[in-house]
Amino acid sequence: MRAAFASRIDDADPLSALTVGERPEPEPAGDDWVTVEVRASSLNHHDLWSLRGVGLTEKQLPMILGCDAAGVAPDGREVVVYPVVPTPSDPRGVTILSEHHQGTLAERVAVPAANLIAKPAALSFADVACLPTAWLTAYRMLTSRGRVAETDAVLVQGAGGGVATAAVVLAVAMGKRVYATSRDPGKRERIAALGATALEPGARLPERVGVVIETVGAATFDHSLKCAGFGARIVVSGATAGHLPQVNLRRVFAMSLEILGTSMGTPDELSALLEFLASTGVRPVVDSVFGFSEVDAAFAKLASGTVFGKIILDHTR
Ligand SMILES: NC(=O)c1ccc[n+]([C@@H]2O[C@H](COP(=O)([O-])OP(=O)(O)OC[C@H]3O[C@@H](n4cnc5c(N)ncnc54)[C@H](OP(=O)(O)O)[C@@H]3O)[C@@H](O)[C@H]2O)c1
């Protein structure tokens, strides 16, 4: 079957490690696994990390990339795939599709039947393909980790990204005052159009916030600490610009800050997110839709850093 996979690891030039070609049909890892016909998938920064060898080693290659998929189950149900799969050999006990089990950037993907969640009729395959990684992560960062219900104001750093645009849109829909930083003036304009107050990185906010959404890391973390109000939660799910920031611990204890790590979300949280979108009319922010035959160009767009929202792959073309 047609697939996009990591054929080698290349930290310096990750796109050169991407191969598009034929791979064997996916192998169910147990009796309770099923094979889904993928209709749409979306790219994540995770796919670039994989090509660079983060979370993936040479001996696991070739590995089909992709965490996110929506498609059709063997019984004809339209489903979205929850990408966190039990993996006893991993210290976490679970892995995300494309880390241990083959990923979603293919005609078909095998997953445990329990990982299938019904696609609400109101949402398209493309819409739900954006949700299982970036949007689920953002939803959990705001809700169970960030306890956003306890505050009126949220700061989102590096707001052009898939997780960050999701956090902006979700927090606005939850009725919060949202501040969002981006390095790019064009992205700041687009963030403002989503209902946030758009700022340059490091800019002073008119108020301190109760929740900070951090996926950038070293480039923004000091600003996140300075913008956090007393008792605020700084929720971290990524560190695109480096994972070793200097942390002013005096600010952490004096302001009673919570710095919380998080990864992905639970199946119940994905169901709640689907319901939230279906009932509110909120839809993912889409940067662009590529046919699967243009997967190289889609990766090049992601790697360019110019993305605003999600890149979707339409597997029907
Ligand atoms: N733990 C999890 O479960 C989980 C899930 C999803 C993602 N992640 C991680 O979260 C991060 C974001 O993922 P994504 O898929 O949303 O990535 P993405 O769509 O590629 O977005 C990355 C964003 O980071 C910002 N950025 C990058 N370099 C920066 C720098 N030097 N200074 C300031 N901002 C910078 C950019 O914002 P601006 O251009 O607007 O400034 C960019 O829009 C990645 O590291 C990813 O691995 C983790």
Side-chain angles (χ1 to χ4, degrees):
M1 65 173 179
R2 188 173 64 155
F5 55 97
S7 49
R8 52 190 195 84
I9 301 291
D10 195 324
D11 186 28
D13 184 10
L15 296 185
S16 71
L18 173 71
T19 301
V20 184
E22 288 296 311
R23 291 296 303 145
E25 289 293 325
E27 277 184 32
D31 292 344
D32 55 343
W33 283 53
V34 293
T35 299
V36 174
E37 292 280 339
V38 182
R39 291 287 172 79
S41 62
S42 74
L43 299 188
N44 290 287
H45 216 89
H46 187 280
D47 302 310
L48 287 177
W49 291 127
S50 298
L51 292 166
R52 293 175 65 180
V54 179
L56 201 59
T57 59
E58 296 276 357
K59 69 175 192 310
Q60 292 166 279
L61 302 180
M63 176 63 79
I64 299 175
L65 298 170
C67 310
D68 294 343
V72 181
D75 59 7
R77 278 183 307 144
E78 296 187 345
V79 294
V80 56
V81 175
Y82 174 68
V84 183
V85 177
T87 311
S89 62
D90 191 274
R92 295 168 292 176
V94 293
T95 54
I96 303 169
L97 288 173
S98 79
E99 291 180 344
H100 181 85
H101 301 285
Q102 299 291 322
T104 59
L105 302 188
E107 290 177 60
R108 285 167 285 283
V109 63
V111 292
N115 283 48
L116 303 186
I117 298 177
K119 179 182 85 62
L123 298 173
S124 68
F125 282 119
D127 285 336
V128 296
C130 296
L131 305 182
T133 298
W135 276 66
L136 176 61
T137 300
Y139 184 75
R140 180 177 171 83
M141 289 175 86
L142 285 167
T143 56
S144 49
R145 297 301 271 162
R147 310 195 303 278
V148 72
E150 298 172 20
T151 187
D152 293 324
V154 174
L155 168 63
V156 181
Q157 300 282 20
V163 177
T165 46
V168 166
V169 171
L170 289 168
V172 168
M174 290 169 185
K176 307 300 169 183
R177 288 188 299 280
V178 182
Y179 303 95
T181 66
S182 175
R183 298 164 297 172
D184 181 75
K187 289 186 190 178
R188 289 199 293 274
E189 257 180 47
R190 296 175 74 177
I191 291 159
L194 296 176
T197 301
L199 302 156
E200 289 183 27
R204 192 182 178 89
L205 270 52
E207 62 179 322
R208 290 208 167 106
V209 301
V211 177
V212 182
I213 300 297
E214 250 299 352
T215 59
V216 178
T220 53
F221 204 78
D222 189 56
H223 183 239
S224 295
L225 288 168
K226 286 177 177 155
C227 296
F230 190 83
R233 282 75 64 201
I234 300 174
V235 191
V236 183
S237 73
T240 308
H243 61 278
L244 296 172
Q246 281 207 333
V247 177
N248 181 344
L249 290 176
R250 191 179 300 148
R251 199 172 276 277
V252 175
F253 63 74
M255 294 295 282
S256 279
L257 302 180
E258 294 178 49
I259 300 174
L260 301 161
T262 189
S263 200
M264 309 297 279
T266 65
D268 284 349
E269 285 167 335
L270 182 53
S271 296
L273 174 61
L274 287 161
E275 171 55 32
F276 186 85
L277 265 61
S279 63
T280 58
V282 165
R283 292 295 178 270
V285 180
V286 176
D287 176 272
S288 41
V289 182
F290 290 84
F292 193 84
S293 54
E294 307 164 302
V295 65
D296 285 310
F299 267 85
K301 180 86 198 276
L302 181 69
S304 72
T306 59
V307 172
F308 187 81
K310 294 291 293 172
I311 295 177
I312 296 171
L313 292 175
D314 177 350
H315 287 229
T316 65
R317 59 187 175 94

